[in-house]
Amino acid sequence: MTSSNRDLRDEIRDYWSDRAATFDDEPGHRIADGSEMAAWEALFRRHLGDGEGRALLDLASGTGEIARLCQRLGFVVTGLDWSEPMLERARSKLPEVTFLQADAERTMLPSASMDVIVTRHLVWTLVDPAAAFAEWFSVLRPGGVLLVVDGDFVSRGWLARMLLQLGSAGRRRSSVSAAATRHEDILARVHFSAGARADAVATMLQAAGYGEVSIDTRLASIHRAQGAQFGWRKSMLRRSEHRYAIRACKPGQP
């Protein structure tokens, strides 16, 4: 028998590394300049204010789109991602930003080193969210802010089920890509395999010691701005999903 010390985190890293070359080509990943960027900036300002030189950590930075947004808002940004191919693309966009390779659940960053931590579409992929939230709590300075933008991409209401059926009509099972199969296999083994609901995430953040935890589902302006890229079916599917932002604070004075 051949043994291996690979674990689920390694599989997640390799999956996103393999997608890095075309990641920005997929609507919803790259933030288009204009109305979409303005909508994202409004969301971040609502919860973080202007950067004013504060130190911000962008977790699971990918190709650097959220880092780009936060730099525009005046933060001093550090990006962190587990995938080196993703980081190569981020560095080419933002050569003045520091990008580090590390697991978002095990950042290896000093305690109390960041004023703000942000994540987009990371929490639903976490293997051990309780440990990750504790790690991020440690990295934040007292009075620091965590902003999570995420969603439940598993649970489907009747509208989503109907739209998916319309999209798959006439397709053969053999046409499902290898990437989709890998994605489904990974999703079945992460903590939020049944979907990352906002209330469950918020409860875990409170258990980790965060205070002032609030859930914001006002993402309609982002979805409208993205709609032109998606087409009507995917645009309606996105609007039907449970997507949200959660703001949480580390108690204490900055």
Side-chain angles (χ1 to χ4, degrees), residues 212-249:
E212 302 178 35
V213 179
S214 61
I215 298 170
D216 182 359
T217 57
R218 294 170 293 167
L219 275 65
S221 61
I222 294 173
H223 299 156
R224 283 195 300 270
Q226 292 173 333
Q229 305 172 55
F230 290 142
W232 73 268
R233 185 182 293 111
K234 188 170 182 179
S235 180
M236 289 182 65
L237 177 62
R238 174 149 296 208
R239 295 185 193 200
S240 75
E241 291 173 331
H242 174 62
R243 292 175 177 259
Y244 52 83
I246 300 178
R247 182 184 189 274
C249 298

Side-chain angles (χ1 to χ4, degrees), residues 25-32 36 225-231 234:
D25 298 336
E26 300 176 36
H29 293 164
R30 185 171 180 86
I31 300 175
E36 185 183 357
Q226 292 173 333
Q229 305 172 55
F230 290 142
K234 188 170 182 179

